[in-house]
Amino acid sequence: MENHVIVPLESLELNDGGIMLNYDKDISALQEEISALRSRQRHLDHRRQEALDKLIDLKGSIRVFCRVRPSISTNYFMTKSPVTVEQEKIVVRALGIKKEFSVDRVFDQESTQEDVFQEVKPILRSALDGHNVCILAYGQTGTGKTYTMEGTNGKLGIVPRAIQELFSHASQDSSSTYSFSISMLEVYMGSVKDLLAPRQPLFRSTECNTASIISILATKSGSVEVEGLTDVAIQDLKKANQWYCRGKRARSTSWTNVNDVSSRSHWWVDDLFSHKFSFEQYPILCALALFVCSLTRITIKRSGGPTEELSKLWLVDLGGSERLLKTGASGLTMDEGKAINLSLSALGDVIAALRRKRSHVPYRNSKLTQILSDSLGDGSKVLMVVHISPSDDDIGETVCSLSFAKRARSIESTKELSEDIKKLKQKRIAELDKEICDAEQELNDLNEQIRRAEISLEERKKLSSSACQALSDDKGSPRSTLVVVGHIDSTESPQATEKTKCRASHSHGSIPHFMSPTVCSRQRHSAASHSATKPRLTKSVNRYPAAELSGNQSFSYSSYKNAAKAKSVAFSSSVPKLKCLPVKSDQITMSNNSIDSTAASAPRRRESFISRPAQRAPLHQHRRRMSSLT
Ligand SMILES: Nc1ncnc2c1ncn2[C@@H]1O[C@H](COP(=O)(O)OP(=O)(O)OP(=O)(O)O)[C@@H](O)[C@H]1O
């Protein structure tokens, strides 16, 4: 079986040393092109990052959103909701009192998971750019924190969408290499439980409990490490989802173990008298269900730039404490209530201190704020989604949650911006948005260009090594054939070009391309009918008498010099020159219908030549074999 190596004609250079394959030059030209594209890509990405930073800072690096849960009341005579919303404002009316709360964005009852995620997306880009990011869901139980963060099967929440987005971006960004890892934990009454560690039911025994307690360390560089926390490398989206689901299961399992409670959401109201647990158990269950903060951490490692960047994306479902008051819990439960209230109020204090740019930020006041301390402060981006219920019954808790939100964004709420400044701010935000959009568009185009250049480079490299092999491997691969593909005649029809392309591709197969009788005979015809090309051919060859022409379909070179000159006349190519490989003249036999000396300036068409370095078969032998086929 013969091996055919297709070589573009332009890659041949003939000089005193012989016929050259000049792939190296072509490869280095492509490498240079790729490196120029990459440098443009880095520059653009830097510009995009700067614009995004400015945009996020302008919008506020601590942003507070509010989401209103749809009404779930089945009461047809339900009174009008006390909560009304505007784009950036919530108004609560009760007992003739009207309270207004400003937030950065309100998601009303009709808003979808996609609407929420669109607002979250820019902050994720920030995490990929190397900033620590923290997204927190806060609110009364049953208001949709888990729905927003996790979602349901058909309506994915922020966490699965964020994971998808990270992987999707990583696969598109050819300027950097990203690696991700995931950790999941719960903070409960000042203890930390590792959700991805080998499973140990939290409440089965004291040993299990203590085994789950992990300490929090601050490193010299200022970053925070949760000592002993399982951190799993996630190579792809599928693995990421598997680990995320495992963490979620570990979380629900702990509740199931205690009480056979399948969900932490609505069970407590409906099941209060449903005989699932005794009245004595109930306050404890409430406390457990309400006061656990669930945290998912995605660690992002980005390399490819001058330095390796490491950032954390925290996705936090905060426990709510309000229901405790309604349950009349006492004893242990009240202690738990205090613990969670401490956590949440500590978080409020931290956020308020950061908003006011205070020099002292009280991170150490709770485990939660300690864990999040390097992701809430300077250079980090924080997003809190406060959840409220539209129901009249929950008015007290709604006001509590909104007061918390107000506290978190205290600077903005106390110092309202004038209309002019607001307009200027909006204008600048729109400009930055456009800048980011344009940069992203250009980056996508660049990515595509780089991808194509890399494919060409790979092809060149493969071709180069195959051609070298075919030319140099006299003994080892005696039957390898070099098929030279080049442009010759600008007058050939597109259909013929297609056929010759096809022939070139078929020459990879077991029948050598020059043995294809149909194409040859067609081309013989074609060459004969194109009498205009003949004089040019004769002219070019006549200038170099050593070049032998046989009929109108093939010729062979008997001297390198002549061949080199003939080629330079017939195919002076603008394509970068490739790797030089000396070959004896009789190793290459060119078979062709006609050669047009004007081809260099004419549009290219592909034509095939055959070189058989190993066999060194003279041209008449080729013809004999061809005729024996027909
Ligand atoms: N925006 C929404 N659209 C549709 N359904 C919602 C929405 N928000 C919440 N729900 C539904 O309301 C119920 C309670 O929501 P969820 O369990 O997310 O509340 P939660 O605040 O996480 O409660 P807990 O604090 O107990 O975990 C769920 O059945 C959920 O599907």
Side-chain angles (χ1 to χ4, degrees):
M1 183 75 76
E2 293 190 13
N3 298 318
H4 292 85
V5 178
I6 299 180
V7 178
L9 180 64
E10 310 88 78
S11 62
L12 286 183
E13 187 183 75
L14 307 170
N15 64 16
D16 290 352
I19 294 174
M20 313 290 180
L21 277 171
N22 292 316
Y23 279 112
D24 274 356
K25 288 180 189 166
D26 207 8
I27 288 170
S28 63
L30 275 166
Q31 281 168 336
E32 269 170 34
E33 185 189 331
I34 290 171
S35 115
L37 287 170
R38 283 212 183 287
S39 124
R40 170 92 188 123
Q41 192 184 38
R42 271 193 297 277
H43 172 74
L44 260 179
D45 195 46
H46 187 66
R47 249 180 49 197
R48 181 200 56 78
Q49 276 188 36
E50 277 182 353
L52 181 66
D53 272 357
K54 279 184 201 157
L55 181 80
I56 290 179
D57 287 344
L58 207 60
K59 285 182 171 180
S61 51
I62 301 173
R63 304 187 75 203
V64 181
F65 296 164
C66 178
R67 189 173 194 183
V68 187
R69 194 203 61 203
S71 176
I72 49 170
S73 172
T74 51
N75 179 4
Y76 292 111
F77 306 104
M78 200 188 101
T79 50
K80 201 171 160 248
S81 170
V83 178
T84 49
V85 300
E86 290 168 28
Q87 201 184 355
E88 292 177 2
K89 198 185 278 177
I90 298 153
V91 182
V92 184
R93 288 183 183 84
L95 305 171
I97 300 169
K98 180 181 158 192
K99 270 184 175 279
E100 283 187 6
F101 299 90
S102 294
V103 289
D104 294 292
R105 171 81 204 260
V106 179
F107 296 99
D108 63 18
Q109 302 187 28
E110 275 78 45
S111 58
T112 62
Q113 299 284 62
E114 183 57 28
D115 295 337
V116 177
F117 188 67
Q118 281 309 317
E119 281 289 335
V120 170
K121 244 183 181 178
I123 213 175
L124 294 178
R125 288 302 296 272
S126 234
L128 284 160
D129 290 344
H131 296 281
N132 287 345
V133 165
C134 194
I135 302 173
L136 307 141
Y138 174 84
Q140 171 196 349
T141 194
T143 48
K145 297 185 292 294
T146 314
Y147 182 81
T148 297
M149 296 309 281
E150 284 178 17
T152 55
N153 272 344
K155 293 169 181 169
L156 297 182
I158 291 176
V159 185
R161 280 170 195 260
I163 294 174
Q164 248 173 37
E165 176 69 17
L166 295 182
F167 277 99
S168 153
H169 180 82
S171 69
Q172 283 163 19
D173 183 358
S174 62
S175 66
S176 311
T177 312
Y178 295 90
S179 56
F180 304 108
S181 58
I182 188 168
S183 303
M184 290 176 79
L185 60 147
E186 281 181 336
V187 178
Y188 166 74
M189 285 268 296
S191 302
V192 182
K193 186 195 171 198
D194 183 353
L195 293 173
L196 297 182
R199 219 166 279 167
Q200 289 182 344
L202 183 61
F203 303 105
R204 210 172 272 168
S205 71
T206 328
E207 291 92 322
C208 288
N209 256 335
T210 47
S212 297
I213 294 170
I214 301 168
S215 53
I216 301 151
L217 305 169
T219 64
K220 274 184 192 154
S221 62
S223 73
V224 173
E225 264 319 310
V226 184
E227 199 186 20
L229 181 67
T230 309
D231 190 42
V232 191
I234 40 174
Q235 286 85 12
D236 52 40
L237 184 59
K238 193 173 165 208
K239 278 265 170 293
N241 283 332
Q242 278 171 359
W243 280 102
Y244 176 57
C245 289
R246 184 177 156 177
K248 280 198 302 183
R249 274 199 306 276
R251 197 164 64 203
S252 357
T253 308
S254 54
W255 310 120
T256 312
N257 282 346
V258 193
N259 315 301
D260 198 22
V261 174
S262 60
S263 158
R264 293 195 297 129
S265 51
H266 284 304
W267 55 267
W268 73 275
V269 177
D270 300 334
D271 296 345
L272 177 57
F273 302 107
S274 70
H275 324 293
K276 274 193 179 159
F277 25 83
S278 68
F279 187 76
E280 291 74 46
Q281 275 179 311
Y282 178 71
I284 300 168
L285 298 177
C286 272
L288 295 177
L290 298 173
F291 304 153
V292 176
C293 298
S294 307
L295 299 95
T296 302
R297 183 185 72 184
I298 313 278
T299 306
I300 303 165
K301 213 179 270 174
R302 174 179 167 163
S303 47
T307 53
E308 192 178 83
E309 276 160 358
L310 196 74
S311 54
K312 294 175 196 172
L313 168 64
W314 282 104
L315 301 143
V316 187
D317 185 343
L318 294 167
S321 62
E322 58 293 327
R323 284 286 178 184
L324 179 72
L325 307 171
K326 284 191 178 177
T327 63
S330 58
L332 174 66
T333 317
M334 285 308 288
D335 290 342
E336 288 167 340
K338 278 179 205 151
I340 191 70
N341 277 328
L342 196 78
S343 270
L344 291 179
S345 71
L347 182 65
D349 291 343
V350 164
I351 292 178
L354 289 169
R355 277 237 163 201
R356 291 195 178 108
K357 299 197 179 357
R358 289 258 166 87
S359 56
H360 174 70
V361 182
Y363 291 115
R364 298 190 67 82
N365 287 354
S366 79
K367 275 275 192 301
L368 182 73
T369 48
Q370 263 177 283
I371 291 173
L372 298 178
S373 60
D374 63 345
S375 305
L376 294 172
D378 263 356
S380 308
K381 316 284 171 195
V382 180
L383 180 58
M384 179 181 282
V385 189
V386 176
H387 294 77
I388 56 169
S389 150
S391 164
D392 216 0
D393 286 348
D394 300 317
I395 187 87
E397 283 129 347
T398 298
V399 171
C400 273
S401 297
L402 289 170
S403 303
F404 184 84
K406 183 177 175 177
R407 188 159 171 241
R409 62 188 306 279
S410 50
I411 296 293
E412 264 74 0
S413 57
T414 51
K415 226 200 267 175
E416 274 300 323
L417 299 172
S418 73
E419 276 308 307
D420 283 352
I421 294 192
K422 264 188 190 168
K423 269 186 198 152
L424 272 178
K425 194 175 155 182
Q426 287 309 323
K427 188 170 166 251
R428 184 69 188 123
I429 286 176
E431 282 169 6
L432 287 167
D433 260 336
K434 184 166 181 321
E435 206 175 302
I436 293 167
C437 240
D438 291 349
E440 277 176 352
Q441 182 59 48
E442 208 178 321
L443 276 167
N444 284 345
D445 294 347
L446 275 175
N447 273 341
E448 185 52 29
Q449 283 180 43
I450 290 171
R451 195 186 63 79
R452 269 186 272 142
E454 279 175 345
I455 291 173
S456 299
L457 181 64
E458 270 317 296
E459 279 169 1
R460 285 287 176 201
K461 280 180 177 170
K462 274 190 202 146
L463 208 52
S464 167
S465 71
S466 314
C468 292
Q469 185 70 20
L471 285 172
S472 64
D473 196 1
D474 253 9
K475 286 172 192 164
S477 175
R479 293 184 67 77
S480 59
T481 300
L482 192 68
V483 178
V484 182
V485 185
H487 58 88
I488 297 159
D489 187 358
S490 62
T491 58
E492 192 173 312
S493 66
Q495 289 94 326
T497 311
E498 273 313 305
K499 280 172 198 159
T500 49
K501 273 183 191 168
C502 182
R503 187 179 61 187
S505 69
H506 281 147
S507 63
H508 277 298
S510 57
I511 300 174
H513 119 92
F514 66 82
M515 292 170 77
S516 165
T518 322
V519 175
C520 284
S521 58
R522 262 203 216 111
Q523 290 189 339
R524 235 177 272 135
H525 260 293
S526 148
S529 63
H530 290 96
S531 54
T533 59
K534 274 190 196 169
R536 284 203 294 273
L537 171 69
T538 317
K539 195 174 148 198
S540 70
V541 173
N542 280 348
R543 265 200 250 163
Y544 311 104
E548 294 169 9
L549 249 192
S550 175
N552 61 4
Q553 59 170 283
S554 60
F555 70 92
S556 60
Y557 295 101
S558 60
S559 105
Y560 317 140
K561 280 185 188 175
N562 290 339
K565 286 170 188 164
K567 178 182 176 286
S568 68
V569 171
F571 314 113
S572 58
S573 165
S574 59
V575 172
K577 287 174 183 153
L578 310 174
K579 182 173 186 170
C580 292
L581 232 177
V583 183
K584 289 178 186 172
S585 65
D586 59 350
Q587 284 182 308
I588 293 197
T589 303
M590 291 192 168
S591 165
N592 189 31
N593 295 333
S594 63
I595 299 174
D596 185 351
S597 63
T598 62
S601 59
R604 290 184 182 187
R605 71 164 267 250
R606 301 218 135 220
E607 188 56 75
S608 298
F609 297 82
I610 295 168
S611 152
R612 313 198 61 183
Q615 284 184 308
R616 302 178 187 181
L619 189 61
H620 59 86
Q621 271 180 26
H622 292 178
R623 260 189 233 109
R624 229 182 295 136
R625 289 176 60 191
M626 204 186 326
S627 57
S628 67
L629 263 183
T630 50

